[in-house]
Amino acid sequence: MDNTEALSPKPDEFVENSNSRHPKGLWVLFGTEMWERFNFYGMRALLTLFMVNSLLMKEADASIVYGGFLALCYLTPMLGGFIADRFLGNRYCILLGGTLMAIGQFLLFISASTFGSSLGTATTIMWTALGVIIFGNGFFKPNISSMVGSLYPKQEKSKLDSAFTIFYMGINLGAFLGQLICPLIGDVKSADGIRDIHAFKWGFLAASIAMMVGTVTFLVLKNKYVVTPTGRPIGGLPKHNTSEDFEEGEAQTAKFSGASVGIAVVLFAILGSLFHFALGQNVIYSLVYASGISLAYLIMSDSSLTKIERDRIWVIYIVSFFVIFFWAAFEQAGSSLTFIADNQTDRHFFGWNMPPSMVQIFNGIFVVALAVPFSILWDKLRARSKEPVSPFKQAMGLALIAVSYFIIAHNVKDLGNNGLLAVKWLILLYFIQTCGELCLSPIGLSLVGKLAPKRFASLLYGVFFIANAAGYALAGTLGSILPATGDKFEAAQKIGVNLQDVLDKKVTLNADQVAAFEKAQLPLANPTFAGFEIHNLFEFFMVFVVLCGIAAVILALISPILKKMMHGVN
C-alpha cells in the first residue's frame, strides 16, 4: 500500500470499523500509551530509591522531590494542551513529547552512571533529566487522551467509559511491564541484602528504550488507523479543522477578552503568593495549586460558552477537585509505601524475596486483569439502565481507597518498632486500590471527553491533569510525614541511642549524637500534619482514611446534582 492509500482509507473500512466493538485506532493509542507508561512507571519505581541510596538524599526530601516532580508532570499538560489546540495539533505534540521523555530517561541513565565519580554532577544531570521528562509528559499526556473520543461517531459516545477502561488497561499493562523489568535490572541486592547502587542506570536505560518504541509505533501507524469514522485524520494541525470536528451549534474558537486574560494572570500571582506564604507550601506546589484555579477561571470567562457548556465544565471542575484526594493517597506507592516495603516489610512471596521497588507491580497486574471485566460491567449495567452516573463511580473509587488504608492501618498497629508487615497486606492494599482506580481514573478521562467542548478538549484535559498534579503535590507532602520505620530504630541503636526516647522527648542528644543522627539521616522528632503529631504508621495511614472517606461521602451526596448539570450525559 502506498502513502496515498494509507492517508485515505476506503469508506468500506469504516463501515467495518463502525460495526465492530471498538475502532482499530483505539489499539494504536493503547499501544503508544502502553510504552509511555512502561517508561514512566519503570522510572517511578526506582526514582526515590535512587535519590536516597545513590544521591544520598533524605527520605523526606526525596518524597517532596518525588511529589513535586509528579505534580509538574501533570501541570505541564495545561501548556501542552494549549499548544495542541491552538498551534501544533495532537499528533505533533505526541511525537515531540515522546522524544523528550526518551531523552530525559537517557539523562537519568547518565546520572546513575556518574554519581560515583562526581555526586554534584550526577545530581545536576538528574535535575535536568526530570525537567526534560516534565515537559515531554506535558506535550504527550493530554493529547493522546483527547484523541480517544474522536475515534467514535457521535451516536456511539456512550461507549467511551468502556473505551477508556480498555485504554486504561494499556496504561497499566505498560506500568506492569515497567515495574517488572526496571526493578529486576535496576534494583539489585546481593545475597546478604546489600544493594548495588550502580544498577539503577539499567532500569533508566530500559525506560528510555521503551519510550522510543512507543513514539515510533505512533509515528508509523497514526495515518492509517488514528482517523475519524469517516476517515479524516485525528489530531492534525488545528488550522485544518472543519465543522465536522465540532458538535452541532458549538463554537469553533474560544473568545477570551484582554481583561479576562489579565484577571487570570493577576489571580495566578495572588494565589501563588497566598499558597506560598500563608500556607507554607514550596514554590512548585504553589505553582500547581494557583495554576489550576487560574486556568479554571480563564476557561469560564470565554464569552462563547453556552449555559449547557458552562454547566458541564463546572462538573469537570468539581470532579477534578475530589480526585485530588484520591491521587494524594494512591501515589504513596512510589514514596512512603516503597520505603515501608524496603524497610519494614517481609517481602517473601512464595519463597522469593522480591525487590522493594517491585511490590507496587501488583497494581499493574490487577489493572490488566480487571480492566476488561470492569468495562463489561459498565456495559451490562448501561444495557439494564442501572449504570451509576460517572461522579458516583468516582465516589466509589474514593471509598475503596479509604477502605484499603483502613485495612493496612490496623495491620501495622501492633508491629512496634521492629515488626515486619507481611507483604500480603500490601498486595491486598493494591488490589483494593486498583478496583478504586478503575472506578475513578478511566471514568474521569471519559467524563472529560464527553463533557468538554471540542475547542477546549485538550485544554480541559490539561485542567483535569492539574487536579492530578495537585493530588501528587499533596502526595509528596503526605509522604514526607512518614514516621520512622524499623530500619531507623536499628540505625539509632548502633549509635547507642534509643530512637523512641528521642522521639518521645525523653532524652536530649549531645552534639556528637546529633551529628551522628544527621549522617545516618535519622529523625530528631515525629513529623506533623495539620497541627497533629504523627507518632506511628497507624496514625500515618489513618490520615488517608479520613481524607478519602470524607471526600467519598461528599461526592456521593452531590452526584444527583452533578447528573442534572451534565444535561443528558452519563
Side-chain angles (χ1 to χ4, degrees):
M1 180 182 291
D2 60 27
N3 290 335
T4 304
E5 234 180 331
L7 289 169
S8 305
K10 299 181 179 67
D12 58 345
E13 292 182 54
F14 295 100
V15 172
E16 179 184 350
N17 286 344
S18 65
N19 292 331
S20 63
R21 183 171 179 78
H22 293 287
K24 294 177 181 178
L26 177 65
W27 303 105
V28 175
L29 299 180
F30 174 106
T32 305
E33 181 77 350
M34 180 189 76
W35 287 113
E36 188 274 333
R37 291 291 89 181
F38 178 113
N39 135 83
F40 192 85
Y41 278 89
M43 175 273 296
R44 188 191 80 159
L46 301 175
L47 183 60
T48 52
L49 293 175
F50 169 63
M51 288 190 287
V52 169
N53 293 280
S54 299
L55 301 184
L56 305 182
M57 290 186 179
K58 292 182 178 179
E59 287 183 359
D61 294 337
S63 291
I64 291 293
V65 172
Y66 172 77
F69 165 68
L70 288 183
L72 288 178
C73 277
Y74 285 82
L75 174 63
T76 49
M78 173 183 66
L79 175 64
F82 175 79
I83 291 175
D85 285 343
R86 288 298 186 93
F87 304 110
L88 295 182
N90 303 121
R91 294 178 171 215
Y92 287 118
C93 282
I94 288 171
L95 294 173
L96 175 60
T99 302
L100 286 174
M101 282 189 284
I103 292 171
Q105 297 287 6
F106 190 75
L107 288 174
L108 280 178
F109 166 75
I110 295 175
S111 174
S113 301
T114 58
F115 71 89
S117 57
S118 177
L119 184 60
T121 300
T123 302
T124 300
I125 295 173
M126 184 270 290
W127 288 116
T128 304
L130 295 185
V132 173
I133 293 171
I134 285 166
F135 279 100
N137 189 79
F139 282 108
F140 187 97
K141 192 68 178 175
N143 291 299
I144 195 162
S145 299
S146 65
M147 295 174 77
V148 174
S150 300
L151 294 168
Y152 295 81
K154 296 174 184 178
Q155 64 271 23
E156 293 184 12
K157 293 297 184 183
S158 61
K159 287 184 178 180
L160 283 184
D161 272 10
S162 57
F164 270 102
T165 301
I166 293 172
F167 177 69
Y168 205 69
M169 184 175 67
I171 293 176
N172 284 276
L173 179 59
F176 162 71
L177 293 172
Q179 290 168 341
L180 172 66
I181 295 173
C182 292
L184 275 178
I185 62 178
D187 185 13
V188 180
K189 290 186 177 182
S190 63
D192 55 358
I194 304 300
R195 174 176 276 118
D196 179 1
I197 60 175
H198 297 279
F200 291 114
K201 61 184 178 182
W202 303 119
F204 295 138
L205 181 61
S208 179
I209 293 171
M211 192 64 253
M212 287 189 285
V213 171
T215 304
V216 171
T217 297
F218 182 76
L219 177 65
V220 172
L221 299 177
K222 62 182 173 60
N223 290 335
K224 183 174 182 180
Y225 296 115
V226 186
V227 293
T228 66
T230 58
R232 298 183 65 250
I234 295 172
L237 295 174
K239 65 181 181 181
H240 295 152
N241 286 342
T242 69
S243 58
E244 295 180 35
D245 297 310
F246 299 86
E247 296 292 333
E248 185 175 351
E250 179 184 343
Q252 297 184 21
T253 58
K255 297 178 181 178
F256 299 128
S257 67
S260 63
V261 173
I263 292 172
V265 172
V266 172
L267 183 62
F268 171 77
I270 293 174
L271 290 173
S273 299
L274 176 64
F275 285 125
H276 183 60
F277 295 109
L279 301 181
Q281 298 291 340
N282 67 29
V283 174
I284 293 176
Y285 292 10
S286 301
L287 179 66
V288 170
Y289 299 145
S291 296
I293 298 174
S294 302
L295 180 61
Y297 162 77
L298 181 62
I299 291 176
M300 278 300 189
S301 71
D302 175 22
S303 59
S304 68
L305 285 175
T306 65
K307 181 184 183 305
I308 290 177
E309 288 176 334
R310 197 175 297 275
D311 284 351
R312 288 174 173 173
I313 291 173
W314 268 116
V315 174
I316 295 174
Y317 290 167
I318 293 169
V319 167
S320 296
F321 171 76
F322 283 96
V323 304
I324 290 173
F325 301 100
F326 179 90
W327 292 117
F330 186 87
E331 277 302 330
Q332 296 305 308
S335 57
S336 64
L337 290 176
T338 293
F339 294 139
I340 290 170
D342 191 20
N343 300 320
Q344 202 161 353
T345 298
D346 178 0
R347 299 186 306 277
H348 284 87
F349 185 67
F350 291 104
W352 174 49
N353 190 21
M354 63 192 312
S357 59
M358 193 184 287
V359 175
Q360 57 189 285
I361 197 176
F362 288 100
N363 171 240
I365 292 173
F366 291 137
V367 170
V368 172
L370 296 175
V372 171
F374 265 78
S375 177
I376 294 172
L377 173 65
W378 302 139
D379 287 341
K380 288 189 174 181
L381 289 174
R382 182 170 61 253
R384 299 175 183 177
S385 300
K386 293 183 179 181
E387 183 183 20
V389 68
S390 292
F392 190 82
K393 292 179 185 176
Q394 293 172 301
M396 292 164 56
L398 280 162
L400 285 169
I401 205 165
V403 169
S404 75
Y405 277 112
F406 183 77
I407 293 172
I408 206 77
H410 280 271
N411 278 281
V412 300
K413 190 172 185 179
D414 299 320
L415 284 183
N417 298 332
N418 300 310
L420 295 178
L421 177 70
V423 73
K424 66 181 181 181
W425 295 115
L426 286 178
I427 295 172
L428 177 61
L429 174 138
Y430 284 124
F431 173 78
I432 298 172
Q433 289 191 0
T434 298
C435 293
E437 184 183 2
L438 288 170
C439 290
L440 183 137
S441 189
I443 303 306
L445 291 171
S446 172
L447 188 67
V448 177
K450 290 185 287 189
L451 296 180
K454 172 68 178 179
R455 64 191 182 281
F456 287 132
S458 294
L459 195 57
L460 277 168
Y461 271 107
V463 172
F464 184 73
F465 290 131
I466 286 178
N468 291 16
Y472 298 149
L474 183 57
T477 300
L478 295 176
S480 69
I481 65 171
L482 176 69
T485 47
D487 61 308
K488 305 297 186 298
F489 289 91
E490 292 179 8
Q493 199 65 45
K494 294 178 181 178
I495 299 173
V497 177
N498 185 325
L499 179 57
Q500 191 63 58
D501 288 342
V502 175
L503 298 177
D504 292 340
K505 300 179 176 62
K506 294 180 179 179
V507 299
T508 302
L509 301 181
N510 58 40
D512 291 339
Q513 291 172 326
V514 170
F517 263 51
E518 287 292 330
K519 183 178 180 180
Q521 300 184 7
L522 299 177
L524 296 172
N526 285 316
T528 59
F529 177 70
F532 294 95
E533 186 175 0
I534 307 299
H535 298 88
N536 49 53
L537 289 176
F538 171 78
E539 294 179 2
F540 172 73
F541 286 124
M542 287 303 295
V543 169
F544 301 100
V545 175
V546 173
L547 287 177
C548 294
I550 292 175
V553 171
I554 295 174
L555 182 56
L557 290 175
I558 66 173
S559 287
I561 299 173
L562 298 180
K563 181 178 181 179
K564 292 180 181 179
M565 295 173 66
M566 290 160 65
H567 295 281
V569 174
N570 195 44

